[in-house]
Amino acid sequence: MAAIPQVAQGHAVAGGGSPGFGLYVHWPFCLAKCPYCDFNSHVEAEVEDRRWARALVRATDRYADEIGPRRLDSIFFGGGTPSLMAPATVAAVIERATTRFVPAPDLEITLEANPTSTEAARLGDIRAAGVNRVSLGVQALDDDALRFLGREHTAAEALAAVDLAARLFARFSFDLIYARPGQTPAGWAAELERALRHADGHLSAYQLTIEPGTRFDLLARTGALSMPDDEAQADLYECTQEVLAAAGLPAYEISNHARPGEACRHNLIYWRSGEWLGIGPGAHGRLEREGLRIATEAWRLPRVWLERAEQSGTGERTRTILSPLERVEELLVMGLRLGEGVDVARLQAVAGRPLAQVLDPAALERLVADGWLTMGDGRLAATAAGRPRLNALLAALLR
Ligand SMILES: C[S@@+](CC[C@H](N)C(=O)[O-])C[C@H]1O[C@@H](n2cnc3c(N)ncnc32)[C@H](O)[C@@H]1O
Ligand code: SF4
């Protein structure tokens, strides 16, 4: 039976050090709602920029009052479409966060941008606001596919935005969506090769997921949208791994690929179960205090968040202390997405009891023998084949 090692407590992560501390800022507005997307995004005719800037800065201040001058490794503006934010708002949040916290010398400041030509025209101002990394939602390099995905840009426009980002920012990434209806591995490999000619250190390739409540969900239910079957999806996933690894961008997470040292720090804080403040509508955060891990969640609707943030300071709706079991589950759910896997010592420290009481040793042995998981050097990791099947693995593993 696979022994679950008994090891000392600790917070080490692959590559050493702590998982880090970051600030996540959610900007909830988009020009249009894409038919596949269930992110907290809303189409509003008018956004009161100054009011939003004041509320986001105030939320940053309130949390800084609470937790004190921590070292700050990352700021991430996610959405929604943060490239629609007024650059002055972005600058105000960065200024306040870097004043109230202690910026790491290599502080990563990422902003998600849509690659329409109008938004690309704002990239210079976004850089001037202090952002040093952008992540562009290219999604596809085929105009029919972009129309199908309801995008407001062409492939040429998106690639022009990527090339501009490459000139303006030391680090950038872009997102692609695959496993679209009718897509073949050969077609997808050619699309990836084309993408690679414009990529640098980081690329995200997400498998199209039908999310409940989206327009695609409705179309799929009525038979108007037929998705690739499991086998076709697995072939496309494998093709992604092969093409990107061969180009020097192996997966460090199920959908995220990077050259060594180029992984997104915000992503790593999140998947290594580090600590981050979440501000803006629907944002989640995680803080640790006196050995306890606290989950925060903000009011989801933009109007409600803004009003609450103006009244109470943060817009926080709930604050929950995670139980040891919830912490173990979270470490596994997040950490097994990463190629580096999870530190077993940390799992055990968080569980507060022998791991065999939390994880099923017989299931672990079977999953290792069958090639879905690996266990060695004090780390539990999913193999490339296991990573897309994490839900099934976790269901088998957790007692
Ligand atoms: C917060 S979203 C989008 C950021 C930006 N608004 C955009 O659209 O470019 C981050 C990424 O998630 C991916 N995504 C969103 N919904 C998805 C879905 N249902 N299936 C696969 N990927 C999805 C897209 O690639 C998207 O760029
Ligand atoms: S994919 Fe991006 S632009 Fe489209 S609705 Fe979602 S957040 Fe908005």
Side-chain angles (χ1 to χ4, degrees):
M1 194 166 285
I4 299 175
Q6 303 285 313
V7 275
Q9 300 207 353
H11 265 223
V13 292
S18 90
F21 171 69
L23 170 66
Y24 174 77
V25 184
H26 191 82
W27 186 255
F29 304 113
C30 291
L31 288 179
K33 185 80 188 172
C34 303
Y36 53 85
C37 179
D38 79 337
F39 281 80
N40 187 21
S41 60
H42 305 260
V43 179
E44 294 275 343
E46 224 165 280
V47 174
E48 294 175 84
D49 282 317
R50 290 219 177 132
R51 216 177 140 196
W52 276 90
R54 271 198 303 273
L56 290 169
V57 165
R58 189 153 169 244
T60 307
D61 264 335
R62 276 299 165 92
Y63 278 119
D65 290 343
E66 183 188 334
I67 66 173
R70 300 278 311 265
R71 175 188 143 119
L72 183 66
D73 298 297
S74 154
I75 303 176
F76 192 98
F77 293 89
T81 305
S83 47
L84 296 175
M85 289 174 83
T89 304
V90 176
V93 174
I94 293 173
E95 190 275 327
R96 194 56 57 96
T98 51
T99 310
R100 299 296 314 269
F101 299 109
V102 183
D106 55 352
L107 171 67
E108 175 187 276
I109 308 179
T110 305
L111 181 138
E112 287 183 337
N114 280 28
T116 64
S117 49
T118 34
E119 282 157 279
R122 304 164 68 109
L123 289 178
D125 291 339
I126 285 169
R127 183 182 69 165
V131 170
N132 57 27
R133 182 178 181 276
V134 285
S135 174
L136 292 150
V138 169
Q139 321 305 7
L141 294 180
D142 173 288
D143 286 342
D144 288 338
L146 287 170
R147 264 190 294 278
F148 160 75
L149 292 169
R151 300 295 292 181
E152 307 236 310
H153 53 84
T154 61
E157 224 177 333
L159 286 177
V162 169
D163 294 344
L164 179 62
R167 290 197 294 279
L168 289 175
F169 295 90
R171 299 171 71 215
F172 70 95
S173 177
F174 58 94
D175 298 343
L176 295 171
I177 295 182
Y178 70 97
R180 311 182 303 249
Q183 209 174 15
T184 61
W188 172 227
E191 196 170 339
L192 278 175
E193 294 290 358
R194 190 170 166 217
L196 281 166
R197 290 200 279 279
H198 298 264
D200 187 25
H202 192 286
L203 191 63
S204 304
Y206 297 105
Q207 191 165 313
L208 178 58
T209 319
I210 301 299
E211 302 289 355
T214 59
R215 179 149 176 74
F216 273 5
D217 182 35
L218 186 71
L219 294 175
R221 282 166 192 274
T222 56
L225 172 64
S226 84
M227 289 290 290
D229 61 21
D230 288 353
E231 203 177 317
Q233 290 186 2
D235 288 347
L236 290 161
Y237 171 78
E238 238 170 74
C239 167
T240 313
Q241 307 307 304
E242 278 166 22
V243 174
L244 295 183
L249 289 140
Y252 66 96
E253 189 269 347
I254 301 174
S255 313
N256 284 275
H257 298 252
R259 295 193 198 290
E262 284 303 318
C264 169
R265 259 160 243 161
H266 164 76
N267 285 351
L268 288 180
I269 291 173
Y270 191 59
W271 290 315
R272 286 174 173 169
S273 292
E275 292 174 83
W276 70 94
L277 299 172
I279 65 171
H284 291 252
R286 291 288 185 277
L287 292 172
E288 286 187 18
R289 183 145 351 120
E290 291 159 23
L292 299 175
R293 189 162 170 86
I294 299 161
T296 64
E297 189 179 346
W299 288 94
R300 197 170 157 79
L301 277 179
R303 179 182 46 78
V304 176
W305 183 86
L306 189 57
E307 283 168 8
R308 299 283 170 145
E310 285 172 341
Q311 285 159 13
S312 73
T314 61
E316 190 176 299
R317 186 176 75 87
T318 59
R319 179 172 279 230
T320 321
I321 294 173
L322 299 181
S323 71
L325 188 59
E326 284 170 331
R327 292 182 67 173
V328 166
E329 284 178 3
E330 191 170 271
L331 269 177
L332 288 170
V333 168
M334 306 307 273
L336 290 182
R337 298 174 65 100
L338 290 169
E340 69 184 30
V342 183
D343 180 12
V344 177
R346 193 165 165 218
L347 262 183
Q348 194 170 289
V350 160
R353 56 188 149 148
L355 267 190
Q357 288 178 18
V358 183
L359 305 183
D360 179 345
L364 178 60
E365 183 183 32
R366 186 168 39 78
L367 295 171
V368 169
D370 291 350
W372 306 116
L373 293 176
T374 60
M375 182 81 154
D377 293 334
R379 302 194 73 84
L380 174 65
T383 61
R387 263 174 258 146
R389 297 172 176 79
L390 273 190
N391 288 347
L393 300 185
L394 289 167
L397 206 53
L398 285 163
R399 280 189 181 273

